[in-house]
Amino acid sequence: MARFLSGLLVFCLLISVSPLLAADAGGEKDGQMVFYPTSVKKAGEYSYLRNSLRLMLASRLTRISGMDAVMKESSAAGRDSALYRIESSLAKVGQGVEISAEVYTPGSTEPISFQRVAKGAAGLVNALDDLVDEIGISVFSLKDSRKVNRKSAGKDEPVTGFSTPHPDRAIKASSGFGLSISQDDFISQTELLVKATEKYKSAVIPTQSKGMTAADINGDGLDEILLCANTKLYIYQLRDKKIEHLDTVSLPGGLNVHAVNVADLNGNGTMEIYISSTRNREPRSYVLEWNPETGAKWLFENVYWYLRPLVIPGEGVVLAGQQNGLGGDLAPGIYRLSVGPEGVYTPGEMVSVPESVNLFDFVFADLDADKVPETVTINRKEQLLVYSADSQLLYTSPSGFGGRELLETYTAPIRLVVTDFDNDGYQDILIVDNELYSPEMMSKTRLYRNGQVRGLAWGDDGFFEMWHTNLFPDSIVDFQFYSKAAADGSMHGRLFIVEPDKGDIVEEFLFGSGGSRLSVFGMSFVDGGSGLPE
């Protein structure tokens, strides 16, 4: 009963937190756009979308205009007349919902009106994007607000880059779960045409996922999906247009798992599974192989290193490791590891990365196609950083890309993935963008929601977004992605995502339990041209 009441109190605190909206600064400022509450008088059962519509509208319009969003709960006559002002409304229309926006330009008393109709909540995002495009064309003289030249982004159109404050993060709410939409489409921000070619979703998995990866681990041409909890490793396979459970492997007790990865480092044709975890704040990693005929074969247990297969340009995949230092913090230094016949891991040469970078925080990527890889990493402020080959800092993003809870004193960022979406020789980055919404009073607990996978490319002034998924309202725990080029030069890939089952936040706080769900998307990437349309 005490645990229940304690959890209930924490949950009540969480849902009472006020939204993180820009406050009224008490005066007009150039470069601001004011957003008033969305009217839902005629919205019927769609009234629950009130806050979400205003936030998403603000996110998109500030991105294309380069202005800052200011949220006001009421309008005062003449007070905001020198600014752009946006009033919006939702109305039920037949089986759909109509989005309306009235835009007041500075000094005007008559609005310019825009409307779009969506077929239910699931179609709201596409309708909203069309409405924003029309506003961009009519009000800001943009030819198409969703098409940006990849190589000049951040220079000619700085508002599309991540060198400016993160457009979605700046105006997301800090309570509620945002707009619930289906993951049917990928939203492209440039000339790159991104389409979903297949979509699969698993049944609810009755465990809290701590990590996930995917690959054809046994060379049979089918993708295995490995989902790891603290006590068990679940093995799934994508076959016959469904996600099929193949096996469950029990893990030793007392583990806190934070990463699962695969690689064939012993060269026997079957990928080893590397589970990196802690026990009593000390490293405990495990290595095993699995195949459908014989099941799991344990190769190494109780390894006193955190382990990660790491792709190093010019070397290929190596096994990298890091150990604990004083007080449970990670010790400086990431090492190439070799294993002896008795299972003893021996450190070799250090991996050349900045001293502040930890084992699971970074990837190597040739962002500018000069054959010299950069180091892309996330720091504890959840900022994306880029270092040159000689460890000189080249770029720092705004904070707020999100992460996931690992230990009380250390938060592991979500996986970074390197790829080349449009097969142009410039390597790109995939990253998960989860929104942190824990109250400041809960300094040792980090809770996330509203997750998206974002595809980022490197431009003149840093990263800019090429595409993103729709929102996963309950955050993203882990993901994996791989792609290959087709004969016509287009790229095709698969995106694997694990998220908490809906309602897990409540279950976790009240009962210490919860579930997970896997999603798989086939994707195609076609470069639709370069430059803005004429």
Side-chain angles (χ1 to χ4, degrees):
M1 178 61 69
R3 176 182 175 86
F4 176 85
L5 292 175
S6 176
L8 182 61
L9 175 60
V10 172
F11 180 67
C12 291
L13 287 172
L14 286 175
I15 62 175
S16 66
V17 178
S18 60
L20 288 173
L21 301 179
D24 185 352
E28 300 168 352
K29 295 181 180 180
D30 292 338
Q32 290 184 336
M33 184 179 294
V34 180
F35 293 85
Y36 302 110
T38 297
S39 172
V40 292
K41 292 180 180 179
K42 300 180 180 179
E45 69 265 30
Y46 297 109
S47 295
Y48 73 97
L49 298 173
R50 179 176 185 263
N51 290 333
S52 296
L53 177 67
R54 178 165 72 148
L55 292 169
M56 296 181 73
L57 186 63
S59 170
R60 285 154 171 77
L61 286 178
T62 53
R63 181 167 60 230
I64 68 171
S65 67
M67 299 182 187
D68 294 328
V70 177
M71 303 297 190
K72 294 196 175 181
E73 300 310 307
S74 63
S75 59
R79 181 172 182 178
D80 305 318
S81 61
L83 306 177
Y84 283 90
R85 292 148 288 154
I86 311 296
E87 296 181 353
S88 56
S89 64
L90 281 170
K92 183 178 179 182
V93 181
Q95 299 299 313
V97 56
E98 181 183 78
I99 312 169
S100 299
E102 293 190 336
V103 180
Y104 293 82
T105 57
S108 69
T109 57
E110 296 295 327
I112 307 172
S113 299
F114 304 87
Q115 291 84 29
R116 282 292 186 274
V117 176
K119 294 181 179 179
L124 192 63
V125 170
N126 286 337
L128 182 64
D129 284 336
D130 289 341
L131 182 141
V132 168
D133 272 343
E134 186 177 354
I135 294 174
I137 293 168
S138 300
V139 177
F140 299 107
S141 300
L142 301 177
K143 293 183 178 180
D144 188 338
S145 65
R146 280 182 279 183
K147 292 184 178 180
V148 180
N149 183 346
R150 168 182 179 140
K151 300 311 175 194
S152 63
K155 182 177 181 180
D156 299 325
E157 299 288 341
V159 298
T160 65
F162 280 78
S163 55
T164 59
H166 194 307
D168 289 330
R169 184 66 64 244
I171 48 79
K172 280 183 178 176
S174 68
S175 62
F177 289 90
L179 179 63
S180 178
I181 56 180
S182 62
Q183 279 72 49
D184 290 335
D185 297 304
F186 298 93
I187 302 168
S188 179
Q189 305 295 96
T190 68
E191 290 282 351
L192 186 69
L193 305 178
V194 183
K195 295 182 179 180
T197 58
E198 54 183 351
K199 299 180 284 287
Y200 309 101
K201 189 176 285 286
S202 74
V204 175
I205 302 165
T207 189
Q208 293 180 28
S209 172
K210 296 295 184 177
M212 183 272 297
T213 193
D216 178 7
I217 63 175
N218 57 356
D220 62 358
L222 299 173
D223 290 329
E224 280 76 38
I225 307 169
L226 309 177
L227 185 149
C228 205
N230 285 336
T231 59
K232 294 180 180 179
L233 172 68
Y234 297 85
I235 301 175
Y236 293 82
Q237 193 173 68
L238 186 60
R239 60 187 303 164
D240 299 328
K241 297 185 178 181
K242 63 181 180 180
I243 299 173
E244 180 180 329
H245 177 242
L246 297 184
D247 199 2
T248 299
V249 180
S250 294
L251 302 180
L255 299 184
N256 190 332
V257 173
H258 55 258
V260 56
N261 291 286
V262 295
D264 183 15
L265 292 177
N266 61 17
N268 68 350
T270 298
M271 291 187 176
E272 304 94 66
I273 302 168
Y274 294 85
I275 299 173
S276 189
S277 61
T278 63
R279 181 187 289 134
N280 297 326
R281 296 183 177 271
E282 293 293 333
R284 291 294 188 278
S285 294
Y286 296 81
V287 185
L288 65 151
E289 289 182 343
W290 181 91
N291 68 60
E293 286 78 28
T294 61
K297 175 185 177 182
W298 293 94
L299 302 180
F300 304 103
E301 302 181 55
N302 285 312
V303 179
Y304 285 77
W305 289 82
Y306 297 117
L307 298 180
R308 176 193 174 191
L310 174 66
V311 178
I312 299 181
E315 292 187 46
V317 183
V318 304
L319 183 61
Q322 191 171 8
Q323 291 189 310
N324 263 9
L326 298 176
D329 291 333
L330 292 171
I334 299 170
Y335 296 87
R336 295 168 175 83
L337 298 179
S338 59
V339 58
E342 297 181 358
V344 177
Y345 282 80
T346 303
E349 184 181 354
M350 288 182 61
V351 178
S352 180
V353 292
E355 185 176 350
S356 61
V357 173
N358 290 321
L359 181 61
F360 297 98
D361 298 358
F362 74 99
V363 290
F364 293 114
D366 187 3
L367 300 175
D368 49 11
D370 64 353
K371 308 301 182 183
V372 179
E374 287 73 40
T375 301
V376 183
T377 183
I378 302 180
N379 64 15
R380 293 195 184 187
K381 295 180 180 179
E382 299 176 352
Q383 294 171 300
L384 194 61
L385 310 177
V386 177
Y387 291 89
S388 65
D390 58 356
S391 296
Q392 297 299 308
L393 182 61
L394 302 177
Y395 169 81
T396 303
S397 79
S399 60
F401 270 105
R404 58 188 175 94
E405 184 181 355
L406 175 60
L407 299 173
E408 287 186 348
T409 58
Y410 177 66
T411 297
I414 292 291
R415 185 188 306 270
L416 296 170
V417 172
V418 180
T419 188
D420 182 357
F421 301 120
D422 46 8
N423 199 25
D424 66 351
Y426 293 79
Q427 289 191 319
D428 308 308
I429 297 294
L430 272 78
I431 188 172
V432 163
D433 184 5
N434 283 330
E435 177 190 0
L436 175 67
Y437 74 105
S438 304
E440 290 185 3
M441 68 186 73
M442 299 174 62
S443 60
K444 292 185 178 181
T445 300
R446 302 178 73 84
L447 299 176
Y448 296 90
R449 64 173 177 205
N450 291 343
Q452 290 179 303
V453 176
R454 297 183 182 272
L456 310 180
W458 185 248
D460 293 335
D461 291 336
F463 282 117
F464 63 95
E465 182 179 300
M466 298 183 73
W467 60 271
H468 63 262
T469 66
N470 284 329
L471 283 174
F472 289 74
D474 294 307
S475 80
I476 295 173
V477 177
D478 205 349
F479 83 109
Q480 187 56 274
F481 175 86
Y482 61 79
S483 63
K484 62 181 179 180
D488 62 359
S490 63
M491 298 292 288
H492 298 267
R494 272 182 175 162
L495 175 65
F496 304 83
I497 289 173
V498 61
E499 58 179 317
D501 183 43
K502 188 175 183 181
D504 271 8
I505 297 296
V506 182
E507 293 180 17
E508 182 175 351
F509 270 93
L510 298 188
F511 309 112
S513 62
S516 305
R517 193 184 292 270
L518 293 168
S519 298
V520 182
F521 301 94
M523 302 181 67
S524 68
F525 303 88
V526 180
D527 191 352
S530 60
L532 293 169
E534 297 297 328

